[in-house]
């Protein structure tokens, strides 16, 4: 989630269930967060949840929900996801874990010095 409210999904290639396979393959991806940006990590229990119409929420549905809410901090992302899970009710049938990280927005401090030469 960028500071301007846009959502940029990140899709690591590969990756496998951890803890069940003897030699799982780990996927890696890099992303740079700037001031005001936030990152949401989640398990498939969230995107595989069922909406009231019976369809899966999926990544597009989650992206649309986050974009409409416009959260840009870790706290607001978690609140938005909690509200979504609560609204889906029994549609959430798998365990769901989320982790949110954010970079505080940039703040400007008034300049109190002199620009002249000494």
């Amino acid at each position: 989630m960028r500071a301007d409210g846009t959502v940029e999904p990140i899709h690591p290639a590969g990756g496998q269930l951890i803890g069940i396979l003897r030699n799982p393959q780990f996927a890696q991806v890099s992303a740079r967060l700037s001031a005001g940006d936030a990152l949401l990590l989640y398990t498939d229990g969230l995107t595989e949840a069922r909406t009231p119409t019976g369809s899966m929420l999926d990544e597009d549905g989650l992206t649309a929900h986050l974009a409409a809410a416009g959260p840009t901090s870790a706290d607001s992302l978690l609140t938005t996801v909690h509200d979504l899970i609560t609204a889906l009710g029994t549609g959430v049938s798998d365990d769901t874990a989320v982790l949110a990280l954010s970079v505080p927005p940039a703040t400007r401090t008034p300049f109190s010095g002199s620009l002249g030469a000494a």
Side-chain angles (χ1 to χ4, degrees):
M1 188 94 202
R2 297 296 175 185
D4 66 1
T6 59
V7 178
E8 289 181 27
I10 298 173
H11 302 281
Q16 298 172 338
L17 181 63
I18 299 171
I20 197 165
L21 301 173
R22 184 174 302 264
N23 295 308
Q25 301 296 312
F26 293 91
Q28 180 177 328
V29 66
S30 295
R32 180 177 301 271
L33 298 180
S34 299
D37 291 347
L39 177 67
L40 178 68
L41 304 170
Y42 54 89
T43 60
D44 63 353
L46 181 57
T47 53
E48 291 176 0
R50 299 286 173 177
T51 67
T53 63
S55 62
M56 275 197 334
L57 178 64
D58 69 39
E59 289 184 30
D60 291 338
L62 177 59
T63 298
H65 184 80
L66 295 176
T72 57
S73 72
D75 287 342
S76 61
L77 271 174
L78 292 176
T79 298
T80 298
V81 171
H82 178 269
D83 292 347
L84 174 61
I85 289 171
T86 301
L88 293 173
T90 59
V92 182
S93 59
D94 192 2
D95 61 311
T96 303
V98 294
L99 172 66
L101 309 165
S102 60
V103 178
T107 56
R108 302 194 109 173
T109 56
F111 181 73
S112 60
S114 171
L115 293 178

XYZ file of all heavy atoms in Angstrom:
829
model
N 0.857 -1.156 0.000
C 0.000 0.000 0.000
C 0.901 1.215 0.000
O 1.714 1.376 0.903
C -0.855 -0.047 1.262
C -1.922 0.963 1.324
S -3.410 0.209 0.676
C -4.317 1.609 0.222
N 0.791 2.005 -1.038
C 1.608 3.202 -1.134
C 0.950 4.359 -0.379
O -0.251 4.353 -0.125
C 1.839 3.577 -2.599
C 2.618 2.526 -3.371
C 4.004 2.384 -2.815
N 4.743 1.313 -3.455
C 5.943 0.936 -3.088
N 6.537 1.513 -2.062
N 6.561 -0.039 -3.701
N 1.755 5.337 -0.041
C 1.276 6.481 0.739
C 0.129 7.209 0.046
O -0.716 7.807 0.706
C 2.432 7.437 1.014
N 0.072 7.134 -1.291
C -1.003 7.817 -2.018
C -2.281 6.990 -2.104
O -3.249 7.391 -2.736
C -0.527 8.214 -3.417
C -0.227 7.022 -4.315
O -0.408 5.852 -3.881
O 0.203 7.248 -5.466
N -2.294 5.793 -1.464
C -3.491 4.963 -1.440
C -3.538 3.889 -2.506
O -4.455 3.075 -2.500
N -2.588 3.878 -3.428
C -2.577 2.824 -4.442
C -2.052 1.523 -3.839
O -1.277 1.529 -2.888
C -1.715 3.202 -5.661
O -0.371 3.449 -5.224
C -2.268 4.428 -6.362
N -2.507 0.427 -4.392
C -2.102 -0.893 -3.926
C -1.246 -1.544 -5.005
O -1.642 -1.586 -6.170
C -3.333 -1.781 -3.630
C -2.907 -3.174 -3.194
C -4.205 -1.134 -2.566
N -0.082 -2.025 -4.620
C 0.809 -2.732 -5.540
C 0.984 -4.155 -5.029
O 1.765 -4.391 -4.110
C 2.186 -2.065 -5.590
C 2.234 -0.745 -6.277
C 3.642 -0.171 -6.287
O 4.629 -0.952 -6.247
O 3.758 1.056 -6.316
N 0.253 -5.107 -5.604
C 0.438 -6.497 -5.166
C 1.851 -6.981 -5.474
O 2.439 -6.623 -6.494
C -0.586 -7.277 -5.991
C -1.587 -6.251 -6.428
C -0.809 -4.973 -6.580
N 2.398 -7.769 -4.585
C 3.724 -8.362 -4.763
C 3.519 -9.867 -4.840
O 2.889 -10.454 -3.960
C 4.652 -8.005 -3.588
C 4.844 -6.494 -3.525
C 5.988 -8.717 -3.724
C 5.604 -6.036 -2.297
N 4.038 -10.475 -5.882
C 3.835 -11.908 -6.098
C 5.177 -12.630 -6.164
O 5.803 -12.666 -7.216
C 3.067 -12.149 -7.399
C 1.742 -11.484 -7.441
N 0.641 -11.994 -6.809
C 1.337 -10.327 -8.015
C -0.389 -11.201 -7.012
N 0.007 -10.181 -7.723
N 5.613 -13.213 -5.055
C 6.846 -14.001 -5.131
C 6.603 -15.265 -5.957
O 5.556 -15.893 -5.843
C 7.169 -14.343 -3.681
C 5.922 -14.108 -2.916
C 5.064 -13.178 -3.719
N 7.562 -15.594 -6.812
C 7.432 -16.793 -7.644
C 7.786 -18.025 -6.823
O 8.812 -18.052 -6.156
C 8.350 -16.685 -8.856
N 6.929 -19.008 -6.851
C 7.213 -20.251 -6.142
C 6.813 -20.173 -4.688
O 5.896 -19.465 -4.307
N 7.537 -20.911 -3.879
C 7.209 -20.973 -2.465
C 6.341 -22.188 -2.194
O 5.567 -22.601 -3.052
N 6.511 -22.782 -1.050
C 5.778 -23.994 -0.725
C 5.365 -24.003 0.732
O 5.865 -23.225 1.542
C 6.653 -25.221 -1.005
C 7.039 -25.359 -2.453
C 8.052 -26.475 -2.660
O 8.746 -26.881 -1.757
N 8.136 -26.952 -3.880
N 4.506 -24.923 1.037
C 4.059 -25.128 2.397
C 5.255 -25.481 3.276
O 6.029 -26.382 2.960
C 3.026 -26.264 2.422
C 2.421 -26.616 3.763
C 1.639 -25.433 4.322
C 1.518 -27.820 3.603
N 5.423 -24.763 4.349
C 6.553 -24.984 5.249
C 6.110 -25.889 6.388
O 5.039 -25.718 6.938
C 7.085 -23.644 5.784
C 7.562 -22.789 4.628
C 8.197 -23.858 6.789
C 7.894 -21.377 5.008
N 6.959 -26.835 6.744
C 6.672 -27.707 7.865
C 6.120 -29.057 7.468
O 5.997 -29.941 8.302
N 5.761 -29.220 6.211
C 5.241 -30.511 5.776
C 6.186 -31.174 4.776
O 6.239 -32.394 4.691
C 3.818 -30.382 5.202
C 3.145 -31.735 5.153
C 3.831 -29.732 3.859
C 1.651 -31.691 4.937
N 6.946 -30.383 4.052
C 7.890 -30.921 3.074
C 9.290 -30.974 3.674
O 9.694 -30.078 4.408
C 7.903 -30.058 1.803
C 6.555 -29.923 1.089
C 6.660 -28.923 -0.045
C 6.087 -31.274 0.576
N 10.018 -32.011 3.318
C 11.363 -32.186 3.867
C 12.304 -31.058 3.429
O 13.077 -30.542 4.215
C 11.935 -33.537 3.437
C 13.288 -33.843 4.027
C 13.754 -35.237 3.690
N 12.820 -36.247 4.156
C 12.938 -36.911 5.304
N 13.968 -36.688 6.074
N 12.039 -37.801 5.657
N 12.252 -30.664 2.178
C 13.138 -29.619 1.647
C 12.320 -28.569 0.893
O 12.345 -28.521 -0.334
C 14.186 -30.231 0.707
C 15.120 -31.168 1.433
O 15.702 -30.783 2.445
N 15.248 -32.392 0.932
N 11.604 -27.724 1.598
C 10.771 -26.734 0.905
C 11.637 -25.706 0.159
O 12.762 -25.421 0.548
C 9.995 -26.062 2.038
C 10.864 -26.231 3.235
C 11.559 -27.552 3.049
N 11.086 -25.186 -0.909
C 11.734 -24.135 -1.682
C 11.158 -22.791 -1.234
O 9.946 -22.617 -1.223
C 11.478 -24.341 -3.178
C 11.984 -25.666 -3.708
C 13.481 -25.781 -3.615
O 14.207 -24.875 -4.008
N 13.968 -26.892 -3.074
N 12.033 -21.878 -0.855
C 11.583 -20.575 -0.395
C 11.651 -19.567 -1.529
O 12.597 -19.547 -2.307
C 12.448 -20.092 0.777
C 12.264 -20.920 2.013
C 13.062 -22.022 2.258
C 11.268 -20.612 2.920
C 12.881 -22.798 3.389
C 11.072 -21.381 4.059
C 11.880 -22.487 4.290
N 10.635 -18.738 -1.624
C 10.589 -17.685 -2.635
C 11.062 -16.391 -2.001
O 10.872 -16.164 -0.809
C 9.169 -17.528 -3.155
N 11.685 -15.557 -2.796
C 12.181 -14.276 -2.288
C 11.820 -13.173 -3.267
O 11.874 -13.355 -4.485
C 13.706 -14.349 -2.147
C 14.321 -13.082 -1.634
C 15.831 -13.239 -1.444
O 16.328 -14.303 -1.121
N 16.542 -12.174 -1.670
N 11.433 -12.048 -2.724
C 11.136 -10.877 -3.532
C 11.535 -9.643 -2.722
O 11.502 -9.663 -1.493
C 9.634 -10.836 -3.934
C 8.751 -10.653 -2.721
C 9.367 -9.771 -4.963
N 11.955 -8.605 -3.395
C 12.346 -7.364 -2.722
C 11.334 -6.268 -3.029
O 10.796 -6.214 -4.133
C 13.729 -6.901 -3.197
O 14.709 -7.829 -2.826
N 11.101 -5.440 -2.056
C 10.228 -4.281 -2.235
C 10.781 -3.147 -1.387
O 11.274 -3.374 -0.286
C 8.804 -4.609 -1.817
N 10.725 -1.951 -1.895
C 11.191 -0.780 -1.152
C 9.979 0.000 -0.660
O 9.098 0.358 -1.433
C 12.050 0.111 -2.035
C 12.571 1.346 -1.296
C 13.475 2.186 -2.161
N 14.617 1.446 -2.636
C 15.787 1.339 -1.988
N 15.923 1.915 -0.823
N 16.786 0.671 -2.505
N 9.969 0.227 0.654
C 8.910 1.031 1.243
C 9.441 2.430 1.504
O 10.518 2.592 2.065
C 8.431 0.418 2.562
C 7.823 -0.971 2.492
C 7.409 -1.431 3.879
C 6.654 -1.011 1.541
N 8.688 3.416 1.095
C 9.039 4.816 1.327
C 8.176 5.365 2.454
O 7.262 4.689 2.937
C 8.815 5.627 0.050
O 9.638 5.129 -0.992
N 8.438 6.575 2.841
C 7.657 7.214 3.911
C 6.168 7.149 3.586
O 5.749 7.498 2.479
C 8.094 8.660 4.085
N 5.379 6.654 4.542
C 3.940 6.559 4.373
C 3.451 5.270 3.736
O 2.250 5.032 3.657
N 4.365 4.414 3.261
C 3.987 3.140 2.652
C 3.781 2.084 3.730
O 4.333 2.173 4.825
C 5.076 2.636 1.698
C 5.225 3.480 0.445
O 4.347 4.314 0.169
O 6.239 3.288 -0.261
N 3.009 1.055 3.389
C 2.766 -0.057 4.304
C 2.803 -1.361 3.518
O 2.558 -1.389 2.313
C 1.419 0.113 4.993
N 3.110 -2.437 4.215
C 3.194 -3.763 3.618
C 2.322 -4.715 4.419
O 2.410 -4.743 5.649
C 4.647 -4.256 3.623
C 4.913 -5.661 3.098
C 4.622 -5.735 1.597
C 6.369 -6.050 3.372
N 1.487 -5.481 3.734
C 0.628 -6.465 4.375
C 1.047 -7.852 3.906
O 1.055 -8.129 2.705
C -0.844 -6.223 4.009
C -1.845 -7.222 4.573
C -1.938 -7.075 6.094
C -3.213 -7.037 3.934
N 1.397 -8.705 4.849
C 1.699 -10.106 4.568
C 0.553 -10.934 5.134
O 0.059 -10.644 6.227
C 3.017 -10.507 5.235
C 4.230 -9.643 4.871
C 5.403 -9.978 5.780
C 4.604 -9.831 3.416
N 0.110 -11.965 4.408
C -1.039 -12.731 4.849
C -0.972 -14.157 4.320
O -0.306 -14.437 3.326
C -2.348 -12.072 4.391
C -2.401 -11.822 2.905
C -2.890 -12.803 2.044
C -1.946 -10.630 2.367
C -2.920 -12.589 0.677
C -1.978 -10.413 1.011
C -2.462 -11.393 0.161
O -2.476 -11.188 -1.195
N -1.673 -15.045 4.998
C -1.769 -16.426 4.547
C -2.967 -16.572 3.610
O -3.818 -15.683 3.516
C -1.935 -17.382 5.741
O -3.125 -17.037 6.443
C -0.741 -17.308 6.679
N -3.027 -17.705 2.939
C -4.081 -17.920 1.948
C -5.476 -18.036 2.551
O -6.469 -17.975 1.827
C -3.782 -19.135 1.081
C -3.730 -20.441 1.862
O -3.802 -20.414 3.111
O -3.596 -21.498 1.218
N -5.567 -18.172 3.871
C -6.885 -18.192 4.500
C -7.663 -16.919 4.223
O -8.897 -16.930 4.167
N -6.959 -15.819 4.015
C -7.622 -14.547 3.731
C -8.153 -14.511 2.300
O -9.321 -14.223 2.072
C -6.657 -13.385 3.979
C -7.197 -11.985 3.758
C -8.429 -11.716 4.623
C -6.122 -10.951 4.058
N -7.323 -14.813 1.337
C -7.754 -14.720 -0.063
C -8.676 -15.867 -0.479
O -9.407 -15.742 -1.451
C -6.537 -14.667 -1.004
O -5.669 -15.771 -0.712
C -5.797 -13.354 -0.839
N -8.668 -16.971 0.278
C -9.556 -18.086 -0.030
C -10.891 -18.005 0.727
O -11.732 -18.886 0.594
C -8.864 -19.418 0.257
C -7.729 -19.676 -0.715
C -6.950 -20.950 -0.418
O -7.286 -21.649 0.560
O -6.000 -21.228 -1.161
N -11.073 -16.943 1.490
C -12.344 -16.737 2.200
C -13.453 -16.512 1.176
O -13.213 -16.018 0.072
C -12.231 -15.537 3.135
N -14.659 -16.884 1.558
C -15.820 -16.754 0.668
C -16.595 -15.479 0.986
O -16.831 -15.142 2.135
C -16.748 -17.956 0.816
C -16.098 -19.267 0.447
C -15.947 -19.379 -1.035
N -15.183 -20.570 -1.390
C -14.959 -20.929 -2.625
N -15.439 -20.209 -3.629
N -14.252 -21.998 -2.892
N -16.980 -14.783 -0.073
C -17.796 -13.583 0.068
C -19.257 -14.004 0.265
O -19.587 -15.177 0.081
C -17.670 -12.689 -1.185
O -18.257 -13.381 -2.291
C -16.219 -12.336 -1.478
N -20.148 -13.074 0.619
C -21.562 -13.431 0.789
C -22.185 -14.074 -0.459
O -23.142 -14.833 -0.358
C -22.230 -12.096 1.117
C -21.149 -11.311 1.790
C -19.890 -11.701 1.051
N -21.632 -13.813 -1.651
C -22.171 -14.426 -2.879
C -21.637 -15.838 -3.089
O -22.051 -16.520 -4.012
C -21.822 -13.577 -4.115
O -20.391 -13.549 -4.268
C -22.376 -12.176 -4.006
N -20.670 -16.267 -2.247
C -20.118 -17.608 -2.361
C -18.829 -17.683 -3.147
O -18.182 -18.717 -3.186
N -18.437 -16.585 -3.791
C -17.185 -16.598 -4.549
C -16.014 -16.333 -3.601
O -16.191 -15.795 -2.510
C -17.217 -15.549 -5.655
O -17.353 -14.258 -5.100
N -14.821 -16.734 -4.039
C -13.643 -16.471 -3.215
C -13.302 -14.990 -3.253
O -13.455 -14.333 -4.278
C -12.429 -17.270 -3.724
C -12.382 -18.654 -3.186
S -10.788 -19.519 -3.327
C -9.950 -18.820 -4.677
N -12.813 -14.479 -2.132
C -12.364 -13.090 -2.076
C -11.229 -12.894 -3.072
O -11.201 -11.928 -3.796
C -11.905 -12.745 -0.652
C -11.353 -11.343 -0.446
C -12.425 -10.287 -0.704
C -10.781 -11.194 0.948
N -10.296 -13.756 -3.140
C -9.095 -13.795 -3.970
C -8.272 -12.506 -3.872
O -8.647 -11.572 -3.171
C -9.387 -14.198 -5.415
C -10.168 -13.178 -6.233
O -9.930 -11.981 -6.096
O -11.020 -13.603 -7.039
N -7.155 -12.488 -4.531
C -6.245 -11.345 -4.424
C -6.837 -10.072 -5.012
O -6.624 -8.982 -4.493
C -4.912 -11.676 -5.080
C -4.123 -12.689 -4.285
C -2.758 -12.973 -4.850
O -2.158 -12.071 -5.472
O -2.287 -14.099 -4.670
N -7.593 -10.206 -6.097
C -8.216 -9.012 -6.691
C -9.234 -8.395 -5.745
O -9.318 -7.175 -5.616
C -8.878 -9.350 -8.030
C -7.866 -9.677 -9.118
O -6.694 -9.253 -8.992
O -8.244 -10.361 -10.089
N -10.015 -9.229 -5.073
C -10.996 -8.719 -4.119
C -10.331 -8.051 -2.932
O -10.775 -7.000 -2.467
N -9.247 -8.662 -2.438
C -8.519 -8.063 -1.321
C -7.901 -6.735 -1.745
O -7.999 -5.736 -1.025
C -7.429 -9.010 -0.806
C -6.550 -8.474 0.313
C -7.385 -8.101 1.543
C -5.472 -9.489 0.673
N -7.293 -6.698 -2.917
C -6.690 -5.466 -3.430
C -7.737 -4.364 -3.554
O -7.510 -3.227 -3.140
C -6.016 -5.719 -4.788
O -4.958 -6.667 -4.606
C -5.444 -4.444 -5.384
N -8.899 -4.696 -4.095
C -9.969 -3.704 -4.252
C -10.448 -3.202 -2.890
O -10.687 -1.994 -2.713
C -11.137 -4.309 -5.037
N -10.569 -4.110 -1.928
C -11.013 -3.720 -0.587
C -10.011 -2.776 0.074
O -10.388 -1.760 0.657
C -11.234 -4.961 0.274
C -11.784 -4.651 1.617
N -13.121 -4.398 1.830
C -11.180 -4.525 2.820
C -13.313 -4.129 3.113
N -12.151 -4.209 3.733
N -8.734 -3.104 -0.039
C -7.699 -2.255 0.554
C -7.635 -0.895 -0.136
O -7.482 0.137 0.521
C -6.334 -2.945 0.498
C -6.193 -4.213 1.334
C -4.825 -4.843 1.098
C -6.413 -3.929 2.803
N -7.742 -0.888 -1.452
C -7.697 0.372 -2.191
C -8.875 1.272 -1.819
O -8.716 2.491 -1.688
C -7.689 0.102 -3.694
N -10.045 0.681 -1.618
C -11.226 1.469 -1.243
C -11.085 2.047 0.155
O -11.532 3.161 0.423
C -12.486 0.606 -1.335
N -10.450 1.291 1.048
C -10.286 1.758 2.428
C -9.185 2.796 2.539
O -9.247 3.696 3.374
C -9.997 0.574 3.349
N -8.156 2.653 1.719
C -7.071 3.612 1.695
C -6.174 3.646 2.915
O -5.598 4.678 3.211
N -6.009 2.536 3.656
C -5.119 2.599 4.825
C -3.663 2.707 4.402
O -3.275 2.170 3.373
C -5.380 1.273 5.532
C -5.817 0.353 4.450
C -6.557 1.216 3.452
N -2.882 3.436 5.164
C -1.469 3.563 4.825
C -0.543 3.335 6.013
O 0.625 3.615 5.929
C -1.169 4.954 4.222
O -1.578 5.952 5.153
C -1.860 5.146 2.899
N -1.064 2.829 7.109
C -0.200 2.497 8.240
C -0.458 1.045 8.619
O -1.490 0.466 8.259
C -0.480 3.400 9.443
O -1.722 3.070 10.033
N 0.469 0.451 9.350
C 0.303 -0.936 9.777
C -0.978 -1.088 10.606
O -1.755 -2.024 10.393
C 1.529 -1.396 10.569
N -1.208 -0.177 11.529
C -2.398 -0.257 12.371
C -3.683 -0.187 11.555
O -4.617 -0.956 11.782
C -2.402 0.854 13.424
C -1.387 0.613 14.529
O -0.924 -0.537 14.689
O -1.058 1.584 15.233
N -3.745 0.736 10.601
C -4.970 0.863 9.816
C -5.149 -0.327 8.872
O -6.281 -0.748 8.619
C -5.022 2.190 9.059
O -3.951 2.305 8.159
N -4.055 -0.893 8.361
C -4.164 -2.102 7.545
C -4.750 -3.247 8.360
O -5.650 -3.959 7.895
C -2.792 -2.520 7.012
C -2.348 -1.943 5.690
C -0.906 -2.342 5.403
C -3.239 -2.385 4.557
N -4.243 -3.438 9.569
C -4.746 -4.522 10.410
C -6.213 -4.315 10.771
O -6.992 -5.266 10.787
C -3.888 -4.658 11.663
C -2.459 -5.154 11.412
C -1.663 -5.154 12.708
C -2.444 -6.518 10.753
N -6.598 -3.084 11.047
C -8.000 -2.784 11.349
C -8.875 -3.076 10.138
O -9.942 -3.690 10.268
C -8.158 -1.312 11.783
O -7.411 -1.112 12.982
C -9.616 -0.951 12.012
N -8.431 -2.684 8.964
C -9.188 -2.926 7.732
C -9.360 -4.416 7.480
O -10.453 -4.880 7.153
C -8.491 -2.249 6.533
O -8.457 -0.843 6.758
C -9.214 -2.541 5.231
N -8.293 -5.190 7.651
C -8.367 -6.635 7.433
C -9.243 -7.292 8.507
O -10.048 -8.173 8.205
C -6.966 -7.267 7.378
C -7.035 -8.784 7.367
C -6.205 -6.763 6.158
N -9.127 -6.850 9.747
C -9.977 -7.388 10.818
C -11.445 -7.140 10.500
O -12.285 -8.042 10.641
C -9.607 -6.756 12.160
C -10.457 -7.229 13.284
N -11.622 -6.579 13.652
C -10.340 -8.297 14.097
C -12.173 -7.236 14.656
N -11.420 -8.281 14.951
N -11.765 -5.929 10.077
C -13.148 -5.603 9.723
C -13.637 -6.461 8.552
O -14.787 -6.900 8.531
C -13.293 -4.120 9.390
C -13.089 -3.221 10.603
O -13.074 -3.732 11.750
O -12.913 -1.996 10.393
N -12.760 -6.698 7.578
C -13.111 -7.532 6.426
C -13.393 -8.966 6.867
O -14.408 -9.559 6.489
C -11.989 -7.505 5.391
C -12.142 -8.441 4.193
C -13.394 -8.111 3.393
C -10.896 -8.383 3.318
N -12.504 -9.535 7.689
C -12.689 -10.904 8.177
C -13.987 -11.010 8.982
O -14.745 -11.964 8.839
C -11.472 -11.352 9.007
C -10.269 -11.557 8.082
C -11.770 -12.621 9.787
C -8.959 -11.788 8.811
N -14.253 -10.012 9.805
C -15.487 -10.003 10.595
C -16.707 -9.953 9.679
O -17.683 -10.677 9.896
C -15.489 -8.809 11.565
O -14.350 -8.928 12.430
C -16.753 -8.767 12.397
N -16.649 -9.134 8.640
C -17.774 -9.009 7.711
C -18.000 -10.298 6.924
O -19.142 -10.643 6.611
C -17.538 -7.848 6.748
N -16.927 -11.028 6.611
C -17.063 -12.278 5.862
C -17.612 -13.400 6.745
O -18.138 -14.383 6.232
C -15.721 -12.688 5.249
C -15.200 -11.769 4.146
C -13.796 -12.179 3.727
C -16.139 -11.758 2.951
N -17.471 -13.257 8.064
C -18.053 -14.213 9.011
C -17.682 -15.648 8.716
O -16.521 -16.010 8.685
N -18.698 -16.480 8.446
C -18.461 -17.905 8.217
C -17.770 -18.184 6.889
O -17.386 -19.318 6.626
C -19.785 -18.690 8.271
O -20.664 -18.172 7.273
C -20.428 -18.592 9.651
N -17.610 -17.153 6.067
C -16.879 -17.322 4.803
C -15.405 -17.581 5.022
O -14.706 -18.083 4.145
N -14.917 -17.228 6.211
C -13.519 -17.479 6.554
C -13.484 -18.834 7.251
O -13.842 -18.963 8.410
C -12.951 -16.374 7.479
C -11.490 -16.639 7.782
C -13.124 -15.005 6.838
N -13.055 -19.856 6.517
C -13.090 -21.212 7.063
C -11.699 -21.779 7.302
O -11.563 -22.865 7.841
C -13.866 -22.127 6.121
O -13.253 -22.148 4.847
N -10.674 -21.075 6.889
C -9.297 -21.530 7.068
C -8.602 -20.577 8.036
O -9.017 -19.422 8.194
C -8.581 -21.517 5.711
C -7.243 -22.236 5.721
O -6.850 -22.788 6.767
O -6.578 -22.248 4.664
N -7.543 -21.069 8.684
C -6.793 -20.170 9.566
C -6.221 -19.032 8.733
O -5.878 -19.205 7.572
C -5.686 -20.931 10.308
C -4.665 -21.545 9.368
O -5.094 -22.211 8.400
O -3.467 -21.361 9.588
N -6.176 -17.877 9.331
C -5.723 -16.674 8.641
C -4.762 -15.920 9.549
O -5.084 -15.641 10.702
C -6.920 -15.763 8.289
O -7.842 -16.504 7.493
C -6.481 -14.538 7.540
N -3.596 -15.635 9.013
C -2.614 -14.853 9.757
C -2.221 -13.645 8.918
O -2.106 -13.738 7.695
C -1.377 -15.698 10.066
N -2.056 -12.510 9.568
C -1.640 -11.294 8.874
C -0.531 -10.613 9.670
O -0.464 -10.722 10.894
C -2.818 -10.309 8.659
C -3.840 -10.882 7.704
C -3.468 -9.927 9.960
N 0.318 -9.931 8.946
C 1.390 -9.132 9.531
C 1.476 -7.869 8.705
O 1.498 -7.926 7.473
C 2.724 -9.892 9.482
C 3.975 -9.111 9.875
C 3.937 -8.734 11.353
C 5.223 -9.919 9.553
N 1.491 -6.724 9.360
C 1.581 -5.451 8.653
C 2.781 -4.662 9.158
O 3.068 -4.643 10.355
C 0.301 -4.643 8.841
N 3.478 -4.044 8.234
C 4.617 -3.179 8.529
C 4.387 -1.854 7.819
O 3.803 -1.823 6.744
C 5.920 -3.795 7.995
C 6.204 -5.239 8.382
C 7.300 -5.810 7.501
C 6.608 -5.296 9.827
N 4.860 -0.770 8.394
C 4.722 0.515 7.712
C 5.881 1.432 8.059
O 6.548 1.259 9.081
C 3.390 1.188 8.057
O 3.271 1.429 9.437
N 6.105 2.388 7.182
C 7.101 3.426 7.386
C 6.334 4.695 7.742
O 5.419 5.081 7.002
C 7.942 3.655 6.114
C 8.956 4.764 6.319
C 8.623 2.356 5.679
N 6.666 5.323 8.861
C 5.934 6.541 9.235
C 6.001 7.577 8.115
O 6.996 7.662 7.385
C 6.662 7.045 10.478
C 7.400 5.858 11.006
C 7.726 5.008 9.818
N 4.943 8.374 7.955
C 4.960 9.422 6.934
C 6.039 10.448 7.232
O 6.405 10.666 8.392
C 3.572 10.051 7.008
C 2.911 9.483 8.208
C 3.708 8.337 8.707
N 6.551 11.040 6.182
C 7.577 12.071 6.341
C 6.964 13.292 7.011
O 5.823 13.655 6.743
C 8.146 12.453 4.983
N 7.723 13.874 7.898
C 7.268 15.116 8.530
C 8.267 16.202 8.198
O 9.471 15.960 8.126
C 7.161 14.970 10.057
O 8.420 14.549 10.576
C 6.106 13.950 10.425
N 7.767 17.369 7.992
C 8.634 18.508 7.687
C 8.775 19.354 8.935
O 7.796 19.659 9.590
C 8.036 19.336 6.565
C 7.830 18.506 5.302
C 7.574 19.407 4.181
N 8.787 19.312 3.390
C 8.964 19.856 2.211
N 8.024 20.570 1.699
N 10.073 19.715 1.553
N 9.992 19.692 9.241
C 10.226 20.579 10.376
C 10.596 21.943 9.839
O 11.317 22.059 8.840
C 11.356 20.046 11.269
O 12.530 19.861 10.484
C 10.973 18.711 11.884
N 10.107 22.984 10.462
C 10.442 24.332 9.992
C 11.930 24.590 10.129
O 12.566 24.193 11.097
C 9.630 25.255 10.892
C 8.984 24.407 11.929
C 9.245 22.974 11.611
N 12.482 25.235 9.123
C 13.894 25.586 9.119
C 14.085 26.829 9.967
O 13.405 27.821 9.798
C 14.379 25.823 7.701
C 15.830 26.172 7.617
C 16.798 25.204 7.821
C 16.234 27.471 7.371
C 18.151 25.512 7.765
C 17.578 27.791 7.310
C 18.530 26.818 7.512
N 15.029 26.765 10.916
C 15.223 27.912 11.801
C 16.634 28.481 11.703
O 17.012 29.322 12.501
C 14.918 27.519 13.254
O 15.787 26.480 13.643
N 17.398 28.005 10.767
C 18.775 28.476 10.640
C 18.902 29.569 9.594
O 17.937 30.020 9.006
N 20.125 29.972 9.362
C 20.413 30.990 8.380
C 21.063 30.350 7.176
O 21.867 29.441 7.297
C 21.352 32.042 8.992
O 21.809 32.915 7.991
N 20.721 30.847 5.978
C 21.331 30.319 4.764
C 22.533 31.169 4.341
O 23.190 30.852 3.380
C 20.304 30.300 3.625
C 19.150 29.325 3.827
C 18.167 29.439 2.666
C 19.658 27.899 3.924
N 22.799 32.224 5.067
C 23.903 33.116 4.698
C 25.256 32.488 5.011
O 25.388 31.538 5.756
N 26.315 33.038 4.426
C 27.677 32.560 4.677
C 28.169 33.087 6.006
O 27.791 34.163 6.453
C 28.599 33.033 3.545
N 29.032 32.322 6.626
C 29.585 32.729 7.918
C 30.771 33.622 7.724
O 31.493 33.578 6.814
C 29.968 31.515 8.745
